[in-house]
């Protein structure tokens, strides 16, 4: 028998004595260290062996908050809530159709002279693999995209999700 395995992990015993094999496998649904013990039973004296399975939590991509700027403005985006190591930032100026890698492994990404709606995302990884953050939009105030309709007063027709105002000069 095997005791102490994490949820989602089991074992199978194959072969015949004295060459029996215990195979431990599965997809754990919890993370942390799990001390397990394999115990033999039968006509011979019982033997135990054990070890520790360390299950690393899955990475969490984190959150980027979208911003609305006037055309040509500068600023920065900051990643929050991630779990794992930042592998790279990526940028798209065509709505996410094509992404360009930015060699940045910090939580903050500056942007300068942005004149078109621009998406950013972050690739975060750990020993379990890589995951992306949400997409953060640097939307240009008063920039028409017309994705919903031809109605001027529909906020989703504008790159920053806001009906135009006089806060930006263009």
């Amino acid at each position: 028998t095997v005791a102490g395995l994490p949820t989602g992990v089991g074992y199978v015993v194959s072969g015949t004595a004295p060459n029996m094999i215990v195979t431990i496998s599965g997809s754990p649904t919890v993370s942390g260290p799990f001390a397990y013990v394999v115990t033999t039973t039968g006509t011979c004296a019982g033997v135990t062996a054990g070890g520790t399975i360390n299950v690393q939590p899955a990475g969490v991509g984190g959150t980027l908050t979208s911003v609305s700027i006037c055309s040509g403005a500068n600023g920065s985006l900051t990643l929050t809530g991630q779990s794992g190591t930042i592998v790279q930032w990526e940028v798209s100026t065509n709505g996410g159709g094509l992404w360009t890698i930015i060699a940045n492994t910090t939580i903050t990404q500056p942007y300068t002279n942005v004149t078109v709606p621009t998406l950013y995302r972050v690739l975060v990884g750990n020993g379990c693999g890589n995951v992306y953050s949400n997409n953060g939009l640097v939307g240009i105030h008063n920039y028409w995209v017309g994705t919903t309709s031809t109605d001027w007063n529909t906020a989703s027709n504008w790159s920053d999700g806001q009906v135009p105002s006089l806060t930006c000069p263009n």
Side-chain angles (χ1 to χ4, degrees), residues 6-46:
T7 303
V9 175
Y11 69 96
V12 174
V13 178
S14 60
T16 57
N19 297 314
M20 298 179 80
I21 298 172
V22 176
T23 303
I24 298 172
S25 64
S27 297
T29 58
V30 293
S31 60
F34 296 89
Y36 67 92
V37 176
V38 178
T39 304
T40 63
T41 57
T43 56
C44 298

Side-chain angles (χ1 to χ4, degrees), residues 55-66:
V55 180
Q56 188 174 22
V60 175
T63 302
L64 290 173
T65 301
S66 294

Side-chain angles (χ1 to χ4, degrees), residues 85-143:
T85 302
I86 295 174
V87 176
Q88 66 196 26
W89 284 71
E90 297 179 8
V91 62
S92 174
T93 56
N94 68 352
L98 178 64
W99 291 91
T100 302
I101 295 171
I102 301 170
N104 177 7
T105 57
T106 67
I107 63 168
T108 303
Q109 174 62 43
Y111 55 86
T112 57
N113 195 29
V114 175
T115 58
V116 296
T118 304
L119 289 172
Y120 289 87
R121 68 183 182 185
V122 184
L123 185 62
V124 177
N126 67 12
C128 293
N130 294 333
V131 292
Y132 281 103
S133 68
N134 67 308
N135 293 341
L137 172 67
V138 177
I140 309 300
H141 193 57
N142 300 346
Y143 188 100

